[in-house]
Structure formats: structure tokens, C-alpha cells
Coordinates of all heavy atoms in Angstrom, one line a residue:
M239 N 19.3 -1.1 35.0 CA 18.7 -0.9 33.7 C 17.7 0.3 33.7 O 16.8 0.3 34.5 CB 17.9 -2.2 33.3 CG 17.4 -2.2 31.9 SD 16.5 -3.7 31.4 CE 17.9 -4.8 31.1
G240 N 18.0 1.2 32.8 CA 17.3 2.4 32.8 C 15.8 2.3 32.1 O 15.7 1.2 31.4
K241 N 15.1 3.3 32.0 CA 13.8 3.2 31.3 C 13.9 2.9 29.8 O 13.3 2.0 29.3 CB 13.1 4.6 31.5 CG 11.7 4.6 30.7 CD 11.1 6.0 31.0 CE 9.8 6.0 30.2 NZ 9.0 7.2 30.4
L242 N 14.9 3.6 29.1 CA 15.1 3.3 27.7 C 15.5 1.8 27.5 O 14.9 1.2 26.6 CB 16.1 4.2 27.2 CG 16.6 4.1 25.7 CD1 15.4 4.3 24.8 CD2 17.6 5.0 25.4
E243 N 16.4 1.3 28.3 CA 16.8 -0.1 28.2 C 15.6 -1.1 28.3 O 15.5 -2.1 27.7 CB 18.0 -0.5 29.0 CG 19.3 0.2 28.6 CD 19.4 1.6 29.2 OE1 18.5 2.1 30.1 OE2 20.3 2.4 28.8
K244 N 14.8 -0.8 29.4 CA 13.7 -1.6 29.6 C 12.7 -1.7 28.5 O 12.2 -2.7 28.1 CB 12.9 -1.2 30.9 CG 13.7 -1.5 32.1 CD 12.9 -1.1 33.4 CE 13.7 -1.4 34.6 NZ 13.1 -0.9 35.8
I245 N 12.4 -0.6 27.9 CA 11.4 -0.4 26.8 C 12.0 -1.2 25.6 O 11.3 -1.9 24.9 CB 11.1 1.0 26.5 CG1 10.4 1.8 27.6 CG2 10.2 1.2 25.3 CD1 10.3 3.2 27.5
L246 N 13.3 -0.9 25.3 CA 13.9 -1.5 24.2 C 14.0 -3.0 24.3 O 13.7 -3.7 23.3 CB 15.4 -1.0 24.0 CG 16.1 -1.4 22.9 CD1 15.4 -1.0 21.6 CD2 17.5 -0.8 22.8
D247 N 14.3 -3.4 25.4 CA 14.2 -5.0 25.7 C 12.9 -5.5 25.5 O 12.7 -6.6 24.9 CB 14.8 -5.2 27.2 CG 14.9 -6.7 27.4 OD1 15.6 -7.4 26.7 OD2 14.3 -7.2 28.5
Q248 N 11.9 -4.9 26.1 CA 10.5 -5.3 25.9 C 10.0 -5.5 24.4 O 9.5 -6.5 24.0 CB 9.5 -4.4 26.6 CG 8.1 -4.9 26.5 CD 7.1 -3.8 27.2 OE1 7.5 -2.8 27.5 NE2 5.8 -4.3 27.3
I249 N 10.5 -4.5 23.7 CA 10.0 -4.4 22.2 C 10.8 -5.5 21.5 O 10.4 -6.2 20.7 CB 10.2 -3.0 21.7 CG1 9.1 -2.1 22.3 CG2 10.1 -3.0 20.1 CD1 9.2 -0.7 21.9
L250 N 12.1 -5.6 21.7 CA 12.9 -6.6 21.0 C 12.7 -8.0 21.3 O 12.7 -8.9 20.5 CB 14.4 -6.3 21.3 CG 15.0 -5.0 20.6 CD1 16.4 -4.8 20.9 CD2 14.7 -4.9 19.1
R251 N 12.2 -8.3 22.6 CA 11.7 -9.7 22.9 C 10.5 -10.1 22.2 O 10.4 -11.3 21.8 CB 11.5 -9.8 24.4 CG 12.8 -9.7 25.2 CD 12.4 -9.9 26.7 NE 13.6 -9.7 27.5 CZ 14.2 -10.7 28.2 NH1 13.6 -11.9 28.0 NH2 15.3 -10.5 28.8
G252 N 9.6 -9.2 21.9 CA 8.4 -9.4 21.1 C 7.4 -10.3 21.8 O 6.4 -10.6 21.1
G253 N 7.4 -10.5 23.0 CA 6.4 -11.4 23.8 C 5.2 -10.7 24.2 O 4.1 -11.4 24.4
S254 N 5.2 -9.4 24.2 CA 4.0 -8.7 24.9 C 3.8 -7.4 24.1 O 3.7 -6.3 24.6 CB 4.2 -8.4 26.2 OG 5.4 -7.6 26.5
D255 N 3.6 -7.5 22.7 CA 3.4 -6.3 21.9 C 2.1 -5.5 22.3 O 2.1 -4.3 22.2 CB 3.3 -6.7 20.4 CG 4.7 -7.1 19.9 OD1 5.8 -6.9 20.5 OD2 4.7 -7.6 18.8
Q256 N 1.1 -6.3 22.8 CA -0.1 -5.6 23.2 C -0.1 -4.8 24.4 O -0.9 -4.0 24.8 CB -1.3 -6.7 23.2 CG -1.2 -7.6 24.3 CD -0.2 -8.8 24.1 OE1 0.4 -8.9 23.0 NE2 -0.2 -9.8 25.0
N257 N 1.1 -5.0 25.2 CA 1.3 -4.3 26.5 C 2.3 -3.2 26.5 O 2.7 -2.7 27.5 CB 1.7 -5.3 27.6 CG 0.6 -6.3 27.8 OD1 -0.5 -6.0 27.9 ND2 0.9 -7.6 28.2
V258 N 2.7 -2.7 25.3 CA 3.6 -1.7 25.2 C 2.9 -0.4 25.3 O 1.9 -0.1 24.4 CB 4.4 -1.8 23.9 CG1 5.4 -0.5 23.7 CG2 5.3 -3.0 23.8
G259 N 3.3 0.5 26.1 CA 2.6 1.9 26.3 C 2.9 2.7 25.1 O 4.0 2.7 24.6
F260 N 1.9 3.6 24.7 CA 2.1 4.4 23.6 C 3.2 5.5 24.0 O 4.1 5.7 23.2 CB 0.8 5.2 23.2 CG 0.9 6.1 22.0 CD1 0.9 5.5 20.8 CD2 1.1 7.4 22.2 CE1 1.1 6.4 19.7 CE2 1.1 8.2 21.2 CZ 1.2 7.7 19.8
D261 N 3.2 6.0 25.1 CA 4.1 7.0 25.6 C 5.5 6.3 25.6 O 6.5 7.0 25.2 CB 3.8 7.6 26.9 CG 2.6 8.5 26.8 OD1 2.2 9.0 25.7 OD2 2.0 8.7 27.9
D262 N 5.7 5.1 26.0 CA 6.9 4.4 26.0 C 7.5 4.3 24.5 O 8.7 4.4 24.3 CB 6.8 3.0 26.6 CG 6.6 3.1 28.1 OD1 6.8 4.1 28.8 OD2 6.1 2.0 28.7
L263 N 6.6 3.9 23.7 CA 7.0 3.7 22.2 C 7.5 5.0 21.6 O 8.6 5.1 21.0 CB 5.9 3.1 21.4 CG 6.3 2.6 20.0 CD1 7.4 1.6 20.0 CD2 5.0 2.1 19.2
T264 N 6.8 6.1 21.9 CA 7.1 7.4 21.3 C 8.5 7.9 22.0 O 9.4 8.4 21.4 CB 6.1 8.5 21.6 OG1 5.9 8.6 22.9 CG2 5.0 8.2 20.7
F265 N 8.6 7.6 23.4 CA 9.9 8.0 24.0 C 11.1 7.1 23.5 O 12.1 7.8 23.2 CB 9.8 7.6 25.6 CG 11.0 7.7 26.4 CD1 11.5 8.9 26.7 CD2 11.8 6.5 26.7 CE1 12.8 9.0 27.4 CE2 13.0 6.6 27.4 CZ 13.4 7.9 27.8
L266 N 10.9 5.8 23.1 CA 11.9 5.1 22.5 C 12.4 5.6 21.2 O 13.6 5.8 20.9 CB 11.5 3.6 22.4 CG 12.5 2.7 21.6 CD1 13.7 2.6 22.3 CD2 11.8 1.4 21.3
L267 N 11.4 5.9 20.4 CA 11.7 6.4 19.0 C 12.4 7.8 19.1 O 13.3 8.0 18.3 CB 10.4 6.6 18.2 CG 9.8 5.3 17.8 CD1 8.3 5.4 17.1 CD2 10.7 4.5 16.8
E268 N 11.9 8.7 19.9 CA 12.7 10.0 20.1 C 14.1 9.8 20.7 O 15.0 10.5 20.2 CB 11.9 10.9 21.0 CG 10.6 11.4 20.3 CD 9.7 12.2 21.3 OE1 9.8 12.0 22.5 OE2 8.9 13.0 20.8
S269 N 14.3 8.8 21.5 CA 15.6 8.5 22.1 C 16.5 7.9 21.0 O 17.7 8.1 21.1 CB 15.5 7.6 23.3 OG 14.7 8.1 24.2
L270 N 16.0 7.2 20.1 CA 16.7 6.7 18.9 C 17.1 7.7 17.8 O 17.7 7.4 16.9 CB 16.1 5.4 18.4 CG 16.0 4.2 19.3 CD1 15.2 3.2 18.7 CD2 17.3 3.7 19.6
G271 N 16.6 9.0 18.1 CA 16.9 10.0 17.1 C 15.9 10.3 16.1 O 16.1 11.0 15.1
F272 N 14.7 9.7 16.2 CA 13.6 10.0 15.2 C 13.1 11.3 15.6 O 12.9 11.8 16.6 CB 12.5 8.9 15.2 CG 13.0 7.6 14.6 CD1 13.7 6.7 15.3 CD2 12.6 7.4 13.4 CE1 14.0 5.4 14.7 CE2 12.9 6.2 12.7 CZ 13.6 5.2 13.4
E273 N 12.6 12.0 14.5 CA 11.9 13.3 14.6 C 10.5 13.0 14.5 O 10.0 12.3 13.7 CB 12.3 14.3 13.4 CG 13.8 14.7 13.5 CD 14.2 15.7 12.4 OE1 13.4 16.2 11.8 OE2 15.4 15.7 12.2
K274 N 9.7 13.7 15.5 CA 8.3 13.5 15.5 C 7.5 14.7 14.9 O 7.8 15.8 15.2 CB 7.8 13.3 17.0 CG 6.4 13.1 17.2 CD 6.0 12.5 18.6 CE 6.1 13.6 19.6 NZ 5.5 13.1 20.9
R275 N 6.5 14.3 14.2 CA 5.5 15.3 13.7 C 4.1 14.8 14.0 O 3.9 13.5 13.9 CB 5.7 15.3 12.2 CG 4.9 16.3 11.4 CD 5.3 16.4 10.0 NE 5.3 15.2 9.2 CZ 4.4 14.6 8.5 NH1 3.3 15.2 8.5 NH2 4.7 13.5 7.9
I276 N 3.2 15.6 14.5 CA 1.9 15.2 14.9 C 0.8 15.8 14.0 O 0.9 17.0 13.8 CB 1.6 15.5 16.4 CG1 2.6 14.8 17.3 CG2 0.2 15.0 16.8 CD1 2.5 15.3 18.7
K277 N -0.1 15.0 13.5 CA -1.1 15.5 12.7 C -2.5 14.7 13.2 O -2.5 13.6 12.9 CB -1.0 15.3 11.2 CG -2.0 16.0 10.4 CD -1.6 16.1 8.9 CE -2.7 16.8 8.3 NZ -2.3 17.0 6.9
G278 N -3.2 15.3 14.0 CA -4.4 14.7 14.6 C -3.9 13.7 15.6 O -3.1 14.0 16.5
S279 N -4.4 12.5 15.5 CA -4.0 11.4 16.3 C -2.7 10.7 15.7 O -2.2 9.7 16.5 CB -5.1 10.4 16.5 OG -5.4 9.7 15.4
H280 N -2.3 11.0 14.6 CA -1.1 10.3 13.9 C 0.2 11.0 14.5 O 0.3 12.1 14.3 CB -1.2 10.4 12.4 CG -2.4 9.7 11.9 ND1 -2.3 8.5 11.2 CD2 -3.8 9.9 11.9 CE1 -3.5 8.0 10.9 NE2 -4.3 8.8 11.2
H281 N 1.1 10.1 14.9 CA 2.4 10.6 15.3 C 3.3 9.9 14.3 O 3.4 8.7 14.2 CB 2.7 10.1 16.7 CG 1.9 10.7 17.8 ND1 2.4 11.4 18.8 CD2 0.6 10.6 18.0 CE1 1.4 11.8 19.6 NE2 0.3 11.4 19.1
V282 N 3.9 10.8 13.5 CA 4.8 10.3 12.4 C 6.3 10.6 12.7 O 6.7 11.7 13.1 CB 4.4 11.1 11.1 CG1 5.2 10.7 10.0 CG2 2.8 10.9 10.8
F283 N 7.0 9.5 12.6 CA 8.5 9.5 12.9 C 9.2 9.3 11.7 O 9.0 8.4 11.0 CB 8.8 8.6 14.0 CG 8.1 8.9 15.3 CD1 6.9 8.4 15.6 CD2 8.8 9.6 16.3 CE1 6.2 8.6 16.8 CE2 8.3 9.8 17.5 CZ 7.0 9.3 17.8
S284 N 10.3 10.1 11.5 CA 11.3 9.9 10.5 C 12.7 10.1 11.0 O 12.9 10.8 12.0 CB 11.0 10.8 9.3 OG 11.0 12.2 9.7
K285 N 13.6 9.5 10.3 CA 15.1 9.6 10.7 C 15.9 9.6 9.4 O 15.6 8.7 8.5 CB 15.4 8.6 11.6 CG 16.8 8.6 12.1 CD 17.1 7.5 13.1 CE 18.6 7.6 13.5 NZ 18.9 7.0 14.8
A286 N 17.0 10.4 9.4 CA 17.9 10.4 8.2 C 18.5 9.0 8.2 O 18.9 8.5 9.3 CB 18.9 11.5 8.4
G287 N 18.6 8.4 7.1 CA 19.2 7.1 7.0 C 18.3 5.9 7.1 O 18.6 4.7 6.9
V288 N 17.0 6.2 7.4 CA 15.9 5.2 7.6 C 14.9 5.5 6.5 O 14.3 6.5 6.6 CB 15.3 5.1 9.0 CG1 14.2 4.1 9.1 CG2 16.3 4.9 10.0
E289 N 14.8 4.6 5.6 CA 13.8 4.8 4.4 C 12.3 4.8 4.9 O 11.5 5.6 4.4 CB 13.9 3.7 3.4 CG 15.2 3.8 2.6 CD 15.3 2.7 1.6 OE1 14.2 2.4 1.0 OE2 16.4 2.3 1.3
E290 N 11.9 3.9 5.9 CA 10.6 3.8 6.3 C 10.1 5.1 7.2 O 11.0 5.6 7.9 CB 10.4 2.6 7.1 CG 10.5 1.3 6.3 CD 12.0 0.8 6.4 OE1 12.8 1.6 6.6 OE2 12.1 -0.4 5.9
I291 N 8.9 5.4 7.0 CA 8.3 6.4 7.9 C 7.4 5.7 8.9 O 6.6 4.8 8.4 CB 7.6 7.5 7.1 CG1 8.6 8.3 6.3 CG2 6.8 8.5 8.0 CD1 8.0 9.4 5.4
I292 N 7.6 6.0 10.1 CA 6.7 5.3 11.1 C 5.5 6.1 11.4 O 5.7 7.3 11.9 CB 7.6 5.0 12.4 CG1 8.8 4.2 12.1 CG2 6.8 4.3 13.4 CD1 9.9 4.0 13.2
N293 N 4.4 5.6 11.3 CA 3.1 6.3 11.7 C 2.4 5.5 12.7 O 2.0 4.4 12.4 CB 2.3 6.4 10.3 CG 1.1 7.2 10.5 OD1 0.7 7.7 11.6 ND2 0.3 7.4 9.5
I294 N 2.2 6.1 13.8 CA 1.6 5.3 15.0 C 0.5 6.2 15.5 O 0.5 7.4 15.5 CB 2.6 4.8 16.1 CG1 3.3 6.1 16.7 CG2 3.6 3.9 15.5 CD1 4.2 5.7 17.8
Q295 N -0.6 5.5 16.1 CA -1.6 6.1 16.8 C -1.9 5.3 18.0 O -1.7 4.1 18.1 CB -3.0 6.0 15.9 CG -2.9 6.5 14.5 CD -2.4 5.5 13.5 OE1 -2.7 4.3 13.6 NE2 -1.6 5.9 12.6
P296 N -2.4 6.0 19.1 CA -2.6 5.3 20.3 C -3.9 4.5 20.3 O -4.8 4.8 19.6 CB -2.7 6.4 21.4 CG -3.1 7.6 20.5 CD -2.5 7.5 19.2
A297 N -3.9 3.4 21.0 CA -5.3 2.6 21.3 C -5.4 2.7 22.8 O -5.0 1.8 23.5 CB -4.9 1.2 20.8
G298 N -6.0 3.8 23.2 CA -6.1 4.1 24.6 C -4.8 4.5 25.1 O -4.1 5.5 24.5
S299 N -4.2 3.9 26.1 CA -2.8 4.3 26.6 C -1.8 3.4 26.0 O -0.6 3.6 26.3 CB -2.8 4.2 28.0 OG -3.0 2.9 28.5
K300 N -2.2 2.3 25.1 CA -1.2 1.4 24.6 C -0.9 1.7 23.2 O -1.7 2.4 22.5 CB -1.8 0.0 24.7 CG -2.0 -0.4 26.2 CD -0.9 -0.7 27.0 CE -1.2 -1.1 28.4 NZ 0.0 -1.2 29.2
A301 N 0.1 1.1 22.7 CA 0.5 1.2 21.3 C -0.2 0.0 20.5 O -0.4 -1.0 21.2 CB 2.0 1.2 21.1
K302 N -0.5 0.2 19.4 CA -1.2 -0.9 18.6 C -0.1 -2.0 18.4 O 1.1 -1.6 17.9 CB -1.8 -0.4 17.3 CG -2.9 0.5 17.5 CD -3.5 1.0 16.2 CE -4.7 2.0 16.5 NZ -5.3 2.5 15.3
P303 N -0.5 -3.3 18.6 CA 0.5 -4.5 18.5 C 1.3 -4.4 17.2 O 2.5 -4.7 17.0 CB -0.2 -5.7 18.8 CG -1.4 -5.2 19.7 CD -1.7 -3.8 19.1
Y304 N 0.5 -4.2 16.0 CA 1.1 -4.4 14.6 C 2.1 -3.2 14.5 O 3.1 -3.3 13.8 CB 0.1 -4.4 13.6 CG -0.5 -3.1 13.2 CD1 0.0 -2.3 12.2 CD2 -1.6 -2.6 13.8 CE1 -0.6 -1.1 11.8 CE2 -2.2 -1.4 13.5 CZ -1.7 -0.6 12.5 OH -2.3 0.6 12.0
Q305 N 1.9 -2.0 15.1 CA 2.8 -0.9 15.0 C 4.1 -1.2 15.9 O 5.2 -0.9 15.5 CB 2.1 0.4 15.4 CG 1.0 0.7 14.4 CD 0.2 1.8 14.9 OE1 0.1 2.3 16.1 NE2 -0.6 2.5 14.0
V306 N 4.0 -1.9 17.0 CA 5.1 -2.2 17.8 C 6.0 -3.2 16.9 O 7.2 -3.1 16.9 CB 4.7 -2.9 19.1 CG1 5.9 -3.4 19.9 CG2 4.0 -1.9 19.9
K307 N 5.4 -4.1 16.2 CA 6.1 -5.0 15.3 C 6.9 -4.3 14.3 O 8.0 -4.7 13.9 CB 5.1 -6.1 14.7 CG 4.6 -7.1 15.7 CD 3.6 -8.0 15.1 CE 2.9 -8.8 16.2 NZ 1.8 -9.6 15.6
Q308 N 6.2 -3.4 13.6 CA 6.9 -2.5 12.7 C 8.1 -1.7 13.2 O 9.1 -1.8 12.5 CB 5.8 -1.6 12.0 CG 4.8 -2.1 11.2 CD 3.6 -1.0 10.7 OE1 3.6 0.0 11.3 NE2 2.9 -1.5 9.8
V309 N 8.0 -1.2 14.4 CA 9.0 -0.5 15.0 C 10.2 -1.5 15.3 O 11.4 -1.3 15.0 CB 8.6 0.2 16.2 CG1 9.8 0.7 17.0 CG2 7.6 1.3 15.9
R310 N 9.8 -2.7 15.8 CA 10.9 -3.8 16.1 C 11.7 -4.1 14.8 O 12.9 -4.1 14.8 CB 10.2 -4.9 16.7 CG 11.2 -6.1 16.9 CD 10.7 -7.3 17.8 NE 9.5 -7.8 17.3 CZ 8.3 -7.6 17.9 NH1 8.3 -7.0 19.1 NH2 7.2 -8.1 17.4
L311 N 11.0 -4.2 13.7 CA 11.6 -4.6 12.4 C 12.6 -3.6 12.0 O 13.6 -3.9 11.5 CB 10.6 -5.0 11.3 CG 9.8 -6.3 11.5 CD1 8.7 -6.4 10.4 CD2 10.8 -7.4 11.3
I312 N 12.2 -2.3 12.1 CA 13.1 -1.2 11.8 C 14.3 -1.1 12.7 O 15.4 -1.0 12.2 CB 12.3 0.2 11.8 CG1 11.2 0.1 10.6 CG2 13.2 1.3 11.7 CD1 10.3 1.3 10.6
I313 N 14.0 -1.3 14.0 CA 15.2 -1.3 15.0 C 16.1 -2.4 14.6 O 17.4 -2.2 14.5 CB 14.7 -1.5 16.4 CG1 14.0 -0.2 16.8 CG2 15.9 -1.8 17.3 CD1 13.2 -0.3 18.1
V314 N 15.7 -3.6 14.2 CA 16.5 -4.7 14.0 C 17.2 -4.5 12.6 O 18.5 -4.7 12.4 CB 15.7 -6.0 14.0 CG1 16.6 -7.2 13.4 CG2 15.3 -6.4 15.4
N315 N 16.4 -4.2 11.5 CA 17.0 -4.0 10.2 C 18.1 -3.0 10.1 O 19.1 -3.1 9.4 CB 15.9 -3.8 9.1 CG 15.0 -5.0 9.0 OD1 15.4 -6.1 9.2 ND2 13.8 -4.6 8.4
Y316 N 17.9 -1.8 10.8 CA 18.8 -0.8 10.7 C 19.8 -0.8 11.9 O 20.7 0.1 12.0 CB 18.1 0.5 10.7 CG 17.4 0.8 9.4 CD1 16.1 0.5 9.2 CD2 18.1 1.4 8.3 CE1 15.4 0.7 8.0 CE2 17.4 1.6 7.1 CZ 16.1 1.2 6.9 OH 15.5 1.5 5.8
K317 N 19.8 -1.9 12.7 CA 20.7 -2.1 13.8 C 20.8 -0.8 14.7 O 21.8 -0.3 15.1 CB 22.1 -2.4 13.4 CG 22.1 -3.7 12.6 CD 23.5 -4.0 12.1 CE 23.6 -5.4 11.5 NZ 22.7 -5.7 10.5
L318 N 19.6 -0.3 15.1 CA 19.5 0.9 15.9 C 19.6 0.7 17.4 O 19.8 1.6 18.2 CB 18.1 1.7 15.6 CG 17.8 2.1 14.2 CD1 16.4 2.6 14.0 CD2 18.9 3.1 13.7
A319 N 19.6 -0.5 17.7 CA 19.8 -0.9 19.2 C 21.2 -1.0 19.6 O 21.6 -1.4 20.8 CB 19.0 -2.1 19.5
G320 N 22.1 -0.8 18.7 CA 23.5 -0.8 19.0 C 24.1 -2.2 19.0 O 25.1 -2.5 19.5
E321 N 23.4 -3.2 18.3 CA 23.8 -4.6 18.3 C 24.4 -4.9 17.0 O 24.1 -4.4 15.9 CB 22.6 -5.5 18.6 CG 22.1 -5.3 19.9 CD 20.7 -5.8 20.2 OE1 20.2 -6.6 19.3 OE2 20.1 -5.6 21.3

């Protein structure tokens, strides 16, 4: 299981949203084809075919748990994990 699969599995399981690394979350979004734009501490991701715009900020080296939940919902709703 590669890095991408491990991060995707961790996010889809939803048991440890507070332990997802910010760099891991941005790596996952970029791997799923999202385009990144940075303005200050805000990392804004968008993708053709996905209505929502994802706006995340780091909390130290971790991603904020509520933002991980938002990303999980988008992955599931748009079937971006290939399921």
C-alpha cells in the first residue's frame, strides 16, 4: 500500500481526523486532480466537476479535523476514491 492509499484509507475511515497531517491532506487533494492556490495561510483547492471549493489551513503540522471531514464528504459524494 503506497502513501496515497494510506492517506486515503485514513481519511475515509474517519476515526482519527485530528491526526491527519496537513501535508498529507494537500498531497491527497493534488493527487486527486485538485488545483491548488495559496493566499496567506489559506490553501484553496478546486477541480472541474466538483462544485465545492475546499479551503484549508494548517493547525501546526496537522489539518483541522472539521476540514478533514469536509474533504471526506467531497471524496465520497463525488466518488473520487474510485469506488
Side-chain angles (χ1 to χ4, degrees):
M239 182 180 283
K241 178 180 178 178
L242 178 62
E243 290 83 12
K244 286 181 182 178
I245 298 166
L246 186 59
D247 184 56
Q248 179 184 12
I249 290 173
L250 291 178
R251 286 179 186 255
S254 61
D255 290 345
Q256 68 277 4
N257 292 324
V258 175
F260 183 78
D261 290 339
D262 290 342
L263 188 59
T264 59
F265 172 76
L266 173 66
L267 289 169
E268 290 174 336
S269 297
L270 292 174
F272 284 85
E273 294 181 20
K274 178 166 74 169
R275 181 172 53 92
I276 301 173
K277 186 167 185 175
S279 65
H280 294 255
H281 295 243
V282 181
F283 293 86
S284 59
K285 180 177 176 158
V288 176
E289 289 183 31
E290 295 87 345
I291 293 175
I292 302 170
N293 183 359
I294 60 175
Q295 307 86 37
S299 64
K300 301 291 183 185
K302 295 180 180 179
Y304 79 92
Q305 294 170 342
V306 175
K307 290 176 189 173
Q308 290 173 344
V309 169
R310 179 173 44 254
L311 286 175
I312 291 170
I313 291 171
V314 171
N315 289 340
Y316 289 93
K317 297 177 175 54
L318 299 176
E321 297 164 7

